[in-house]
Amino acid sequence: MKIIPNLYDISHNALFFKKERIALWIAIPVLLLIAACSNQSGQKAKASELGIQTYKVLTLQPRSATLNTDYPASVQGLQNIEIRPKVDGFIEKIYVDEGSVVKKGQLLFKINAPQYEQEVRTAEAGIKTAEADVSSANLQVNKVKPLVEKDIISHYELESAQLTLKSKEAALAQAKAALENARINLGYTTITSPVAGVIGSLPYKLGSLVTSTTTEPLTTVFNTATVYAYFAMNEKQLLDFSTDSSNTTLQFKLNHLPKVSLILPNNAVYEHSGKIETVNGQINTNTGSANFRAAFVNPKGLLHSGSSATVRIPTVVKSAIVIPQNVTYQLQDKRFAYVVDNQNKIKNVVINVMDNTPGQFYVVTSGLGNGDRIIIESVSNIKDGTEIKPLEVNASSVYKDLE
């Protein structure tokens, strides 16, 4: 039996499936839109959280520390003695070489000057002549004296003989002085070192003609058993150094200064510490600075006259606010630090600091105090009111170089 389908049912079912399909097409975009909005809202919330940067923060407390201040210096020997000829002649011998270590009295040069040998011989001959004249005059006095006593001749003859004797004795003394002068000039042809030290350059060679008016010295002997390091402080540094609460004299401060170090050109610290001895009382008008002198022993001869170095002066501070230099920044003539308030917001604060060597620590004299929190990182361009997420750091890790 053949079944004929109901046309109404067929059309009704077709319409039902069509409506379901339309509803599905409408629902899918709506769900996608809702998901997109939800995702975008989550991303905004996450972006808002990422907008608060995390910075390392340190709570300041007074502490004691030793800070160093470096000053460029020039090194000079205790004595730099120029060796110059006092007579004219040719260099016959050179007994030392450049850089030689010599003792006091050691032979350095021999100058060939035969004219001074001749002067000695002439002076010696003159002494003999003068001695003969004195003897002759003395005989004349002895001859005349008894005749005068017997009134055979007048007293005038005796006085004349005595005056002649005195004249001959004076001539003898003059001849002896001439001999001594000739011997001194002859001695100048042999040149010795006046001090122990190191020989400098030797500009003249064997056979060179030298005179007492020669501009350049034969050599220079550098006595470097002790060396002086000369350095300068500007007017501000000198005033800070000279004035403090102790109200003591400058010389008293110099006598009680801690020992200083010498930094060599290879950045090595010289093994012997030194002492600041003097300060020039006059400020150089050209440089606006005053010169200081520090003395260092040099037993091994490591330090050479004319070399450069750096004098490092330690400064001991007690119960002071000390911060790393790299956490500050300078704008025009002012220095700033980033202070974090109780709401974790930034404030750029002007600070005043003591002068010392770059790259170390600053002693803050105003602007920061006990309990203040600062950003302990090297950052820039953080505006006032910027909120941050503080990350507290341990003070010992910050100040380990001072401990």
Side-chain angles (χ1 to χ4, degrees):
M1 178 174 146
K2 186 176 182 182
I3 300 174
I4 299 174
N6 190 330
L7 294 177
Y8 173 79
D9 292 337
I10 294 175
S11 62
H12 178 74
N13 291 334
L15 180 61
F16 173 79
F17 285 118
K18 184 176 182 181
K19 290 180 178 181
E20 290 292 332
R21 186 179 300 174
I22 292 173
L24 183 60
W25 287 347
I26 294 173
I28 290 175
V30 171
L31 292 175
L32 292 176
L33 180 61
I34 293 173
C37 291
S38 176
N39 186 39
Q40 185 176 3
S41 177
Q43 289 179 351
K44 287 183 178 180
K46 187 176 181 180
S48 177
E49 292 179 359
L50 292 176
I52 301 178
Q53 297 291 331
T54 301
Y55 292 102
K56 295 179 180 179
V57 173
L58 175 68
T59 301
L60 298 177
Q61 293 180 345
R63 63 188 303 111
S64 298
T66 300
L67 304 180
N68 295 319
T69 305
D70 293 350
Y71 299 92
S74 61
V75 177
Q76 298 294 332
L78 178 64
Q79 294 173 299
N80 298 335
I81 300 179
E82 294 181 346
I83 306 300
R84 295 181 178 275
K86 295 183 178 181
V87 294
D88 303 344
F90 296 93
I91 297 179
E92 182 177 342
K93 289 183 179 180
I94 301 176
Y95 298 95
V96 293
D97 200 356
E98 296 176 350
S100 301
V101 178
V102 296
K103 299 179 180 179
K104 182 178 180 179
Q106 183 173 336
L107 191 60
L108 303 180
F109 300 93
K110 174 66 176 175
I111 296 178
N112 183 9
Q115 66 271 26
Y116 298 107
E117 297 177 0
Q118 183 62 37
E119 288 180 0
V120 169
R121 289 191 290 268
T122 300
E124 288 174 344
I127 286 179
K128 292 179 179 180
T129 300
E131 288 175 342
D133 291 341
V134 169
S135 297
S136 176
N138 193 36
L139 289 174
Q140 184 65 22
V141 170
N142 293 332
K143 177 182 176 182
V144 173
K145 190 173 183 180
L147 297 176
V148 172
E149 291 175 351
K150 296 178 181 180
D151 292 330
I152 298 175
I153 60 176
S154 67
H155 194 270
Y156 172 80
E157 296 292 337
L158 177 59
E159 291 180 351
S160 178
Q162 289 174 338
L163 290 175
T164 300
L165 175 60
K166 290 182 179 179
S167 176
K168 297 304 181 181
E169 289 175 343
L172 176 60
Q174 187 176 8
K176 290 180 178 179
L179 175 61
E180 186 64 25
N181 187 57
R183 286 175 175 172
I184 290 174
N185 288 334
L186 181 62
Y188 288 152
T189 61
T190 301
I191 301 176
T192 59
S193 177
V195 295
V198 180
I199 297 296
S201 61
L202 299 172
Y204 301 100
K205 307 305 178 185
L206 290 177
S208 299
L209 175 64
V210 293
T211 67
S212 58
T213 59
T214 300
T215 304
E216 193 171 8
L218 298 178
T219 190
T220 302
V221 179
F222 301 98
N223 181 0
T224 57
T226 297
V227 299
Y228 292 138
Y230 293 90
F231 62 97
M233 285 188 185
N234 59 40
E235 292 185 62
K236 180 181 180 301
Q237 293 169 331
L238 181 60
L239 286 174
D240 293 339
F241 175 79
S242 303
T243 58
D244 58 19
S245 58
S246 60
N247 294 323
T248 55
T249 64
L250 179 59
Q251 188 58 47
F252 181 87
K253 293 183 178 69
L254 289 175
N255 294 337
H256 291 81
L257 277 177
K259 292 188 176 181
V260 298
S261 302
L262 192 67
I263 312 302
L264 303 180
N266 61 353
N267 294 325
V269 179
Y270 184 55
E271 60 180 325
H272 299 284
S273 57
K275 181 72 175 177
I276 296 179
E277 294 184 340
T278 62
V279 55
N280 193 328
Q282 182 176 3
I283 294 178
N284 189 318
T285 55
N286 295 324
T287 61
S289 60
N291 291 327
F292 283 69
R293 187 185 77 191
F296 296 85
V297 297
N298 188 30
K300 297 181 181 178
L302 181 63
L303 303 179
H304 299 279
S305 187
S307 62
S308 60
T310 300
V311 173
R312 175 168 291 173
I313 302 177
T315 302
V316 178
V317 293
K318 297 180 180 180
S319 189
I321 299 298
V322 182
I323 63 173
Q325 294 185 10
N326 63 347
V327 305
T328 68
Y329 69 94
Q330 190 168 0
L331 185 61
Q332 295 181 351
D333 60 340
K334 295 181 179 180
R335 186 164 295 278
F336 294 82
Y338 295 110
V339 176
V340 183
D341 62 15
N342 294 332
Q343 285 76 38
N344 296 331
K345 292 184 178 181
I346 295 298
K347 183 179 180 181
N348 291 263
V349 175
V350 179
I351 62 174
N352 294 316
V353 299
M354 291 174 53
D355 291 334
N356 66 311
T357 301
Q360 301 180 2
F361 292 83
Y362 281 135
V363 175
V364 180
T365 56
S366 65
L368 296 175
N370 184 17
D372 287 340
R373 295 190 302 165
I374 65 168
I375 292 181
I376 204 68
E377 300 181 39
S378 179
V379 295
S380 60
N381 298 327
I382 303 181
K383 297 181 179 180
D384 284 349
T386 302
E387 185 178 355
I388 69 165
K389 183 178 180 180
L391 178 61
E392 288 284 345
V393 299
N394 193 336
S396 61
S397 63
V398 176
Y399 298 108
K400 59 183 179 180
D401 292 336
L402 294 179
E403 297 177 349

